[in-house]
Amino acid sequence: MTYGTDLLPSDQTEVGRPEEGASVALNVVVPRKHPWRWVAVVILAMVTISAAQAVAHNENFRWEVYWEWLFSRQVLRGVMWTLILTVVAMLLAAVIAIALVIMRESDNPILKGLAWVWVWFFRGTPAYTQLLFWGLFAVLFPVLSFSNPFGPDIISIETKYIVTPLTAAIFGLGFNESAYLAEIFRAGFRAIDKGQTEAAEAIGMSRGKIWWRILMPQAMRIIVPPTGNETIGMLKLTSLVLAIPFTLDLMFVTNSIANRLFLPVPMLMVAATWYLAVTSVLMMGQAWLERHFGKGV
């Protein structure tokens, strides 16, 4: 049985194959236009330029004072001490947080309860209140002693020689931050399937190698982003150590200079500039760590 071509279109001899010289309609994809995006960009650019001009030409900001003190020795020393407080307090918080995670995951109900109380207390009270307590610690406990309950003191020392403003600031910031890091670390390790640990043990890997080669790289993918945010928060939280008072950090130094000059605005701008600069560096470090531990994902 044969079929003719009388049912085919006039400009085609076979279905899907046009004759020579026949016009073919091409499917051209035209991207959707978004004119309102450009309108929004123009409006935002105009607002930004206007705001920048208003700030730059406003004499009340006293830009000459700002540039005079931005790189002064006092301010740079304040930046250095702020960084020291941030790093040491975060290290202390990380060590305590790891211990809290181990206690929370243990089978001992006493250790688990103590860890829960620690997290509950330091997350539930303001950081400023905790720093005030550490600032008054030497007044509340003038002498620290280790004594025999039925005899004289074995060791006794004045508190002011141990709990200095620097150590009080580190303890106050580190203890407060440890409660938050403990929950971050616990969430990171709990997100890993227990089957991976069981599989590693089945092939004879040691416990230390399992933690270092299998659990830690996976947990860091979850731990690094919130820990980076907490580090940036710690940097700015150091501005509260004036409650102790710790007189070497950036915020205390700029406030002292502002009170001496009776010009608070330019010195606040100096402090904000340095906080923003250090925060930007920390954000770049966080992004690098996220890329490093995110390999293979």
Side-chain angles (χ1 to χ4, degrees):
M1 185 174 181
T2 59
Y3 295 90
T5 58
D6 53 336
L7 298 178
L8 294 175
S10 59
D11 60 344
Q12 293 186 359
T13 58
E14 295 182 14
V15 177
R17 299 184 62 181
E19 289 183 346
E20 295 183 2
S23 61
V24 179
L26 300 178
N27 293 325
V28 179
V29 179
V30 179
R32 184 178 178 182
K33 299 183 182 301
H34 299 278
W36 291 108
R37 291 184 182 178
W38 294 105
V39 173
V41 169
V42 172
I43 293 175
L44 289 175
M46 293 176 62
V47 172
T48 302
I49 294 173
S50 299
Q53 289 180 344
V55 172
H57 295 91
N58 192 334
E59 296 181 356
N60 294 325
F61 280 92
R62 302 297 297 270
W63 291 106
E64 69 280 1
V65 178
Y66 169 84
W67 290 111
E68 178 183 355
W69 289 97
L70 182 60
F71 298 101
S72 65
R73 180 176 300 179
Q74 290 176 268
V75 172
L76 292 178
R77 185 169 62 246
V79 174
M80 180 192 69
W81 278 107
T82 297
L83 289 173
I84 292 173
L85 282 178
T86 302
V87 173
V88 177
M90 285 300 296
L91 290 175
L92 175 63
V95 172
I96 297 175
I98 293 172
L100 291 173
V101 171
I102 296 173
M103 293 167 66
R104 288 288 294 271
E105 298 299 321
S106 69
D107 297 328
N108 190 324
I110 297 177
L111 293 179
K112 187 177 294 186
L114 289 175
W116 185 89
V117 170
W118 180 284
V119 174
W120 165 76
F121 177 79
F122 285 102
R123 287 177 66 187
T125 53
Y128 189 76
T129 303
Q130 297 172 30
L131 289 170
L132 280 175
F133 169 80
W134 283 105
L136 298 172
F137 190 84
V139 177
L140 298 172
F141 303 97
V143 178
L144 295 177
S145 61
F146 177 74
S147 61
N148 185 347
F150 306 102
D153 293 342
I154 300 175
I155 299 176
S156 180
I157 188 172
E158 293 188 38
T159 305
K160 64 182 180 180
Y161 296 117
I162 298 178
V163 185
T164 63
L166 176 60
T167 57
I170 292 173
F171 289 158
L173 295 173
F175 289 176
N176 175 264
E177 185 61 34
S178 66
Y180 298 94
L181 287 185
E183 294 302 294
I184 293 173
F185 292 174
R186 191 163 66 97
F189 288 113
R190 280 196 169 187
I192 303 173
D193 188 2
K194 292 183 179 180
Q196 299 192 38
T197 302
E198 296 173 355
E201 291 174 346
I203 62 175
M205 293 184 68
S206 64
R207 191 66 180 173
K209 185 173 289 186
I210 291 173
W211 272 91
W212 185 252
R213 299 296 298 273
I214 296 177
L215 299 182
M216 283 297 295
Q218 296 183 73
M220 290 299 287
R221 297 172 186 168
I222 303 173
I223 291 173
V224 166
T227 303
N229 291 336
E230 291 296 321
T231 304
I232 293 172
M234 174 65 75
L235 174 72
K236 294 180 288 187
L237 196 64
T238 57
S239 62
L240 298 180
V241 295
L242 54 86
I244 291 178
F246 182 75
T247 60
L248 298 176
D249 72 293
L250 176 61
M251 202 65 190
F252 193 98
V253 169
T254 52
N255 280 339
S256 300
I257 297 172
N259 293 333
R260 188 168 69 248
L261 299 177
F262 298 102
L263 294 172
V265 173
M267 297 313 301
L268 286 175
M269 298 286 289
V270 169
T273 300
W274 279 111
Y275 279 119
L276 186 61
V278 178
T279 299
S280 301
V281 175
L282 292 177
M283 291 175 65
M284 289 188 291
Q286 176 185 341
W288 181 84
L289 287 175
E290 290 181 10
R291 288 196 302 269
H292 176 73
F293 289 105
K295 294 177 181 178
V297 178

